[in-house]
Amino acid sequence: MTTEERPARTRTTAPPPGPVTLDPGDWDAFRSLAHRVVDDMVDHLEHRRDQPVWHQMPDDVRDTFTTGLPRAGLGAEAAYEAVLQRVAPYSMGNDHARFWGWYMGAGHPVGNLADLVASVLNPNLGGADHAPVALEQQVVRWCAEAAGYPGGSSGLLVSGASEANLVGLAVARTARLGPQVRTDGLAGLGPVAVYASAEVHSCHRKSCELLGLGDAALRRLPVLDDLSLDVAALEAAVVADRAAGITPLAVIATAGTINTGAVDDLEAVADLAAREQLWMHVDGAIGGFLGLSGRADLVRGIERADSLALDLHKWMQAPMDVGLVLVRDEAAHRATFSVVPEYLRHATRGLAASEVWFHEYGIDLSRGFRALRVWMAFVAYGADTFGALMDQTMGQARRLAALVDQHPDLERLAPVGCDIVCLRYAPSTLPPDLVDAVNRELVLCVQESGMAVVSETTLGGRIAIRVAIGNHRTRDEDIDLLVATLERLGPQAVAGVAG
Ligand SMILES: *Cc1c(COP(=O)(O)O)cnc(C)c1O
């Protein structure tokens, strides 16, 4: 392409009169738009239950997302109007009481307000001496206490458990292989191994790849009948690797697996990790806060982890996206990430006089004010409310399991872990070779009906309908409605597959 053929990059519209500003010319008009936005969003929340959970956006709406870059602005009102018409009605649906797909929280109104304030103040939580940084430090301490993790550990908020797990494993890598790994990389260090159960979340594969360990270093070990890690198999794998000259680096125990909510035996893993000098990381994306619930017994031993990944946008219901990583040894944490160039030097006075600079503990330099939505939630609701919520959704999972167990056409495929139920539709008249296809279809029929969102997984080679409750808006009658919906749509799914 010659210079003459290149598309114009210069402004194609006439400049506005006067200085350029992004603030409104008329604050009163902006204020009334802002009030309208708030009213619309509160209406949305109040009446959400009466609308379909999800419906596919029509083609004409989809097409509007392929148009080119607007060069001239249409004003805030037009932009908001477009959101109201074309985005809000076709959003994911995880703000609805009957959204139980994958595993995500519904968001909460206090977090919604926090996000508005956070966005307006717009502080950068990379560091420096301001209240939002002190507030995030408090959130880290509160989350450690809520999770039953030792005080004095270090941590920071991140985008979610994927990033929290990556940070935890990165600290493990530096702590176990030595700080030289930051300079020299892995070359010359020989093979290493990381251990987890076969039910480990897919994000750990990404972590192993990104940290240069390679996916082959991640040993996916057998599970017991309850789908928790077989600790005897872990021990055997560590011994075998050592004998083969492979360095055992870390074990990842999961508190609430993504498939079935199974919780590994954290005490047993901690005992073995201590004996074998393995870094113990706990992936607590789902069950990391069980210590607040009536089932704190499930996560006994969590306090012995060297690092712990938590999600706040799952069972803790914070609006997307926010997770947290905790590391017992502050020095090891900092030694993994700290890079302080001259333009980020700390001062003894002024704005740069801060003890803690979060960017020295994680991947991001500029960091948003995610902490506010977590902080306001703890203040507004109290930590015990979240424990009671976990008990409520675990009870709803047991209710669903009981309904499935009694139902002639439904079958449960796994023990209930946390608040996750895996089941399938399998009437005795259905030929066994069609059951998988019918259940795949049934998941889609349920989603398209707008009554609920559930998702699918594979367990022991069989397609399962996965119901991951994790939703503070769900009521017991929603669970009954799901069973009625499966009854109603089951024959339709059979017809769809057979026909
Ligand atoms: C959801 C989940 C993750 C990934 O968390 P994100 O917040 O989606 O990044 C990791 N591990 C487990 C067990 C999970 O359930």
Side-chain angles (χ1 to χ4, degrees):
M1 191 189 281
T2 66
T3 343
E4 297 89 278
E5 285 169 320
R6 237 175 246 150
R9 293 249 197 127
T10 48
R11 192 171 52 221
T12 55
T13 51
V20 176
T21 174
L22 303 178
D23 282 332
D26 177 350
W27 282 103
D28 286 336
F30 181 77
R31 179 174 288 109
S32 47
L33 174 61
H35 281 294
R36 203 184 126 207
V37 172
V38 169
D39 279 340
D40 290 346
M41 292 301 107
V42 174
D43 284 347
H44 172 92
L45 287 174
E46 188 179 0
H47 303 296
R48 188 66 182 94
R49 169 175 278 283
D50 310 324
Q51 296 155 358
V53 182
W54 172 83
H55 52 111
Q56 195 172 21
M57 71 185 116
D59 286 343
D60 59 333
V61 170
R62 194 182 297 275
D63 288 346
T64 65
F65 296 113
T66 60
T67 58
L69 175 71
R71 299 300 294 238
L74 299 175
E77 203 144 335
Y80 175 63
E81 209 57 61
V83 171
L84 216 49
Q85 300 300 320
R86 306 197 257 115
V87 181
Y90 310 109
S91 187
M92 185 173 212
N94 53 314
D95 55 347
H96 194 286
R98 287 189 299 277
F99 188 100
W100 306 305
W102 302 280
Y103 198 109
M104 38 192 110
H108 48 57
V110 167
N112 303 146
L113 294 182
D115 282 0
L116 176 58
V117 176
S119 171
V120 171
L121 300 180
N122 195 32
N124 187 330
L125 285 271
D129 187 21
H130 51 102
V133 167
L135 180 150
E136 180 164 335
Q137 289 177 273
Q138 188 167 42
V139 164
V140 169
R141 285 193 301 270
W142 285 353
C143 286
E145 186 179 339
Y149 201 66
S153 51
S154 77
L156 81 167
L157 292 173
V158 291
S159 60
S162 297
E163 189 179 341
N165 282 312
L166 172 61
V167 168
L169 203 58
V171 181
R173 193 184 75 145
T174 318
R176 295 278 294 121
L177 300 178
Q180 203 55 30
V181 73
R182 290 187 63 183
T183 317
D184 298 341
L186 293 168
L189 286 175
V192 299
V194 174
Y195 307 87
S197 89
E199 294 290 310
V200 73
H201 192 273
S202 59
C203 71
H204 296 281
R205 172 178 170 181
K206 288 192 198 173
S207 294
C208 287
E209 291 173 358
L210 288 168
L211 291 168
L213 308 173
D215 181 43
L218 181 56
R219 306 271 188 272
R220 293 168 173 84
L221 301 169
V223 291
L224 304 173
D225 289 345
D226 65 358
L227 297 163
S228 72
L229 172 67
D230 178 348
V231 181
L234 168 64
E235 180 153 28
V238 171
V239 169
D241 277 337
R242 269 201 218 288
I246 297 168
T247 307
L249 190 86
V251 54
I252 299 161
T254 304
T257 58
I258 186 68
N259 265 335
T260 68
V263 180
D264 291 343
D265 182 342
L266 303 182
E267 288 283 21
V269 172
D271 289 342
L272 183 78
R275 267 202 316 279
E276 294 288 342
Q277 299 197 311
L278 290 177
W279 182 276
M280 178 180 170
H281 175 80
V282 172
D283 179 350
I286 291 175
F289 286 104
L290 272 167
L292 290 174
S293 78
R295 292 308 311 275
D297 58 298
L298 289 171
V299 288
R300 218 172 278 135
I302 201 168
E303 69 285 353
R304 296 170 66 190
D306 295 294
S307 52
L308 170 62
L310 299 164
D311 241 333
L312 288 141
H313 57 216
K314 288 186 172 174
W315 225 345
M316 297 293 280
Q317 311 295 318
M320 297 272 164
D321 50 5
V322 57
L324 182 115
V325 58
L326 293 167
V327 178
R328 173 194 297 275
D329 178 350
E330 188 271 343
H333 190 185
R334 190 152 181 268
T336 302
F337 288 100
S338 179
V339 177
V340 184
E342 62 282 7
Y343 45 83
L344 291 173
R345 231 174 268 144
H346 308 181
T348 53
R349 284 174 31 229
L351 181 53
S354 173
E355 303 249 307
V356 173
W357 291 70
F358 282 115
H359 73 82
E360 291 185 70
Y361 296 86
I363 296 166
D364 304 311
L365 173 55
S366 294
R367 303 176 64 253
F369 200 8
R370 290 182 175 119
L372 192 62
R373 64 178 88 114
V374 182
W375 190 90
M376 277 185 68
F378 276 130
V379 173
Y381 300 118
D384 289 344
T385 299
F386 292 97
L389 169 66
M390 289 175 199
D391 291 332
Q392 175 172 292
T393 64
M394 285 190 283
Q396 289 165 343
R398 286 194 303 273
R399 180 187 187 91
L400 176 57
L403 291 171
V404 169
D405 292 348
Q406 291 159 12
H407 201 289
D409 296 342
L410 298 174
E411 182 188 350
R412 197 143 59 81
L413 293 185
V416 175
C418 297
D419 58 350
I420 301 176
V421 185
C422 292
L423 61 114
R424 64 180 188 167
Y425 178 72
S428 54
T429 50
L430 187 62
D433 59 325
L434 288 184
V435 176
D436 279 350
V438 163
N439 279 277
R440 278 218 146 111
E441 176 68 17
L442 184 50
V443 166
L444 308 181
C445 290
V446 170
Q447 292 175 359
E448 286 168 348
S449 76
M451 285 304 291
V453 166
V454 294
S455 57
E456 78 157 67
T457 191
T458 302
L459 287 175
R462 299 185 294 184
I463 298 294
I465 299 176
R466 216 173 126 272
V467 185
I469 299 174
N471 186 331
H472 71 96
R473 299 197 165 116
T474 301
R475 298 180 194 148
D476 288 358
E477 58 261 35
D478 292 313
I479 299 298
D480 304 349
L481 191 57
L482 173 65
V483 173
T485 303
L486 292 171
E487 275 169 0
R488 180 167 63 81
L489 297 178
Q492 181 184 321
V494 172
V497 166

